[in-house]
Amino acid sequence: MNERSPGERSDLFAADWASALAGAADAALPADEVAELLAALAADTLAVAWDLPFQPEQAAKIGAALVDASLVDPVVLGRSLTVIRRQLTLDAPAAADLAIVSAVEEAVAAGYIRALRDQTRAETQRSAEELRRGAEARFQAELRHQAQHDPLTGVANRTLFLDRLAATIARPAPPAGPDGADPAAPARRIGICYLDLDGFTSVNDTFGHDVGDELLIAVAGRLRRRIEPAPGLVARIGGDEFIALVEPSGGPDAMVALASDVLTLIERPFRIGQHRIGLTASVGIVERPVAGAELADLVKDADSALYRAKAEGPGRWSVYDAAQQATDSARMALTTSMRSALEAGEFTVVYQPIVSLPDGELRGVEALLRWDHPTLGVLAPEAFIELAESSGVITPLGRWVMETACAQAAEWHRVRPGGAPFISVNLSAQQATDPGFVGDVARIMAATGLPFPLLQLELTESALVGADSRPLETLQELAAMGVRIAADDFGSGYSNLAYLKRLPVGSLKLSASFIKELWPDGPADEPVISALAGLAHRLGLKVTVEGVETIEHARQLSVLGCDTAQGWYYAAAVPGRDITAVLRDPAPARFPRPALPHG
Ligand code: C2E
Ligand code: MG
Ligand code: MG
């Protein structure tokens, strides 16, 4: 046997291997390096090849080395085996050892195949891992999408809308030029349309929830097609509420144009299954510069604009207006506190004498409501009566006024039986339509002991003229019981005497402004008033003039034929006890009186 060290053999074989690998493509290492490596491996193999028992692992390394060097090619394997066989044969100590040569070749081939299989498996695993990672990423994206979108309509949800809005506000203004912000560049603006479908509940009730859902999907689709091509985002943020975020906005007019387009789009009938459904929506608009805009304010202001739009009726849009909103909020606060104010005793009634024009003798007293508000001070009725009417508080409030005023008048009646003034109570149209009103009045009269003829009810001309059958019946019933009815603020509306005559009205009250209009610069012979008084008398009506502030007014009105008067010349509205004091005084109850405030 040829005694050479593996190192010497390796040097000997390197050239052989180099020619075996020549031309093989894709080698991961330079060809001569691979040849050297293989030669070294082959030398190691050959050094132990003849030792028994035969160790195939050493030979297998040669096959694996080919694969590791990316020499995955049957031709290269074949040539390698040839190199090994030639070298082994040269070294073979005996012909019988050829079996060993075959075993070495087999082991090299087996190493080659195993390495190849391992490599393929690793690759397969690697691509499986990649696939898994891709699926995971898609899944995460899907989760993110679900967390940010409405499952029914597929448009953005509240979360995404708020995120986008926050990001828009947070984004700094783009630098305009090399010197920083361009002062001439228009400020970046943002717009929000807050949309609510009108009467959507009735769609659900009429057609069922499935149709309701389909309709919402269709609405979302129309909104998206109109708004999302613009720099906008549509989000569903409640059952039938959508919001559109537009940034940059083209200004308030552009947002209004967008809102009206959207309203028109929604009003085009929807076909859902066999149903053809007509819809309207209301839109609240907010439009302002991005700089300084606050997220919470934008949403709140859009909401209050929507509230206003809704209040104006279906199918409307409304732009947020800060001044308007401040008034609305103050009115809202006042309205909500009114009920508790009534319970807390914050309301009072003051009384203004109604006197006979020729001699100033006390005939009646008008009850006028005041609200002694804990923070706003004393409020006159014009600050809250309308709110009480629109919120319905007028019913309990008006009943309280009636009870208080009648109790007061009953006391005067006891102080001066036969000579007490009548009490004149203002009545809102709503009170007269309350079916329980006549019963209330009868109960109050019974409880206080006030005779019916000492009660007068004042209704404005418009409340009287607009009376449908219910208040008319109410007034007729009351008149039949002996209650007086007066037409308040006569001259401010229709001034239709003939019409009034058909109602159970006993007197006309001419408003202060009516008198002022006739006499802007003081009293003068005024034919309109004398004609009016004459006509009223012929129809059996008495005439009371309000707002008499001077003795000249009083004299002139008396000459013109008016019957009674009320005003600061005689007395301002005073607490009930002041009138009681006048009645206790045995002297005739005449006005003006120095003891009572004027003006
Ligand atoms: P009205 O019934 O026409 O009451 C007359 C108003 O003229 C009162 O205002 C009174 O204070 C004011 N006035 C009296 N003398 C003069 C004067 O010489 N010059 C001028 N410029 N004004 C004078 P007030 O108390 O602010 O009441 C305003 C209106 O509020 C009343 O008009 C009445 O329509 C309504 N109102 C008052 N109390 C009640 C109530 O209890 N219920 C209802 N529903 N309405 C009420
Ligand atoms: Mg009145
Ligand atoms: Mg009046």
Side-chain angles (χ1 to χ4, degrees), residues 50 54 56 59 81 84-85 88-89 95-110:
W50 318 110
F54 172 65
L81 291 178
I84 291 169
R85 169 175 284 269
L88 274 174
T89 318
D97 291 336
L98 285 179
I100 297 288
V101 175
S102 301
V104 169
E105 281 179 22
E106 257 169 52
V108 169

Side-chain angles (χ1 to χ4, degrees), residues 66-382:
L66 288 172
V67 173
D68 283 350
S70 290
L71 294 165
V72 183
D73 178 349
V75 177
V76 174
L77 177 64
R79 283 202 219 133
S80 301
L81 291 178
T82 310
V83 171
I84 291 169
R85 169 175 284 269
R86 193 165 59 240
Q87 293 167 350
L88 274 174
T89 318
L90 280 176
D91 270 2
D97 291 336
L98 285 179
I100 297 288
V101 175
S102 301
V104 169
E105 281 179 22
E106 257 169 52
V108 169
Y112 174 89
I113 287 166
R114 199 179 324 127
L116 196 58
R117 201 180 53 218
D118 289 353
Q119 196 183 60
T120 313
R121 193 177 295 150
E123 267 167 15
T124 312
Q125 263 173 14
R126 207 171 320 118
S127 54
E129 174 69 9
E130 270 162 18
L131 275 175
R132 203 184 56 71
R133 281 216 207 95
E136 173 80 21
R138 277 193 301 281
F139 179 65
Q140 290 295 346
E142 177 65 19
L143 275 187
R144 220 173 19 252
H145 184 88
Q146 278 177 18
Q148 294 185 326
H149 290 81
D150 170 43
L152 177 68
T153 62
V155 298
N157 65 9
R158 181 187 288 270
T159 311
L160 180 55
F161 162 70
L162 290 175
D163 284 357
R164 188 70 65 84
L165 185 56
T168 303
I169 295 173
R171 198 169 348 117
D179 310 328
D182 173 5
R188 210 154 53 93
R189 300 184 70 91
I190 188 169
I192 288 179
C193 282
Y194 195 155
L195 177 141
D196 184 292
L197 300 177
D198 299 322
F200 186 69
T201 340
S202 73
V203 171
N204 271 335
D205 292 347
T206 314
F207 301 101
H209 284 264
D210 288 348
V211 171
D213 283 357
E214 287 300 316
L215 192 56
L216 287 172
I217 294 169
V219 166
R222 285 190 191 175
L223 291 178
R224 190 176 221 169
R225 278 192 294 280
R226 172 64 184 83
I227 291 159
E228 296 202 341
L233 174 80
V234 174
R236 178 174 176 226
I237 59 164
D240 63 346
E241 289 175 18
F242 294 86
I243 223 162
L245 170 65
V246 178
E247 198 276 325
S249 137
D253 292 348
M255 283 305 286
V256 165
L258 178 68
S260 2
D261 274 11
V262 161
L263 290 180
T264 315
L265 273 180
I266 300 293
E267 280 165 27
R268 251 180 27 223
F270 289 85
R271 181 164 290 286
I272 309 290
Q274 79 272 32
H275 306 291
R276 203 177 130 88
I277 303 173
L279 259 189
T280 61
S282 304
V283 177
I285 304 165
V286 170
E287 206 284 337
R288 62 186 60 156
V290 174
E294 294 280 343
L295 187 144
D297 287 348
L298 282 165
V299 179
K300 182 168 64 63
D301 295 348
D303 186 43
S304 35
L306 173 61
Y307 184 83
R308 274 205 83 76
K310 283 259 172 205
E312 282 169 20
R316 307 291 180 91
W317 53 259
S318 167
V319 183
Y320 174 78
D321 171 345
Q324 179 69 61
Q325 192 52 39
T327 319
D328 282 1
S329 310
R331 286 166 62 93
M332 187 82 86
L334 219 51
T335 309
T336 47
S337 59
M338 224 180 277
R339 266 178 216 276
S340 53
L342 181 56
E343 275 158 31
E346 290 173 18
F347 287 99
T348 53
V349 179
V350 287
Y351 301 90
Q352 186 175 38
I354 300 171
V355 305
S356 152
L357 262 172
D359 55 13
E361 211 164 293
L362 182 66
R363 290 291 158 78
V365 172
E366 179 172 7
L368 293 165
L369 185 57
R370 298 288 179 265
W371 182 356
D372 195 357
H373 194 279
T375 54
L376 301 174
V378 177
L379 300 179
E382 63 179 11

